[in-house]
Amino acid sequence: QVQLVESGGGLVQAGGSLRLSCAASGRTFSIYAMGWFRQAPGKEREFVAAISWSGARTDYADSVKGRFTISRDNAENTVYLQMNGLKPEDTAVYYCAAATIGSRWPPGPYNYWGQGTRVTVSS
């Protein structure tokens, strides 16, 4: 089992920044990639960014390219999502996920999920 705990959400004005964290514990040796997803009110969950467990590969949704950066700290088993230039349309609950089955890129399926952290961007 892998446990994921997100933190760092909050309320920010448009144009501001936030950094989300996702701490992984348990069988972290089985993880080959981590991702961030988000779900806005009334919408389906969507992919935001992914990173290989080594940190060598990253992938981003077009809507966040150039504004968001995914990174990881190997020693802390933590993945980060630095979000700059936030827009009201970035408002959502952000979920961290881990992929442990297979080794495809872009990663999938994600079989472990965190509880989510809420990000609200005011205009």
Side-chain angles (χ1 to χ4, degrees):
Q1 294 290 328
V2 173
Q3 294 79 42
L4 304 173
V5 178
E6 303 100 331
S7 61
L11 174 64
V12 64
Q13 289 187 334
S17 299
L18 281 176
R19 189 178 79 158
L20 305 183
S21 300
C22 175
S25 61
R27 297 171 61 89
T28 57
F29 61 85
S30 65
I31 299 173
Y32 81 89
M34 300 279 290
W36 286 98
F37 291 77
R38 66 187 182 187
Q39 187 166 19
K43 295 188 178 181
E44 294 187 352
R45 186 169 58 193
E46 64 176 1
F47 168 76
V48 175
I51 188 167
S52 60
W53 195 238
S54 68
R57 304 185 72 173
T58 58
D59 190 27
Y60 295 92
D62 288 342
S63 59
V64 306
K65 281 181 181 177
R67 300 189 298 123
F68 291 10
T69 302
I70 190 170
S71 62
R72 63 152 298 162
D73 182 326
N74 289 355
E76 298 295 328
N77 287 331
T78 299
V79 174
Y80 302 98
L81 185 68
Q82 178 67 44
M83 305 186 294
N84 298 329
L86 283 162
K87 305 175 181 179
E89 52 262 44
D90 294 319
T91 294
V93 176
Y94 283 71
Y95 297 92
C96 174
T100 65
I101 301 172
S103 60
R104 58 178 286 186
W105 191 267
Y110 291 87
N111 49 325
Y112 292 99
W113 294 83
Q115 293 300 306
T117 185
R118 186 174 301 275
V119 172
T120 303
V121 184
S122 63
S123 57

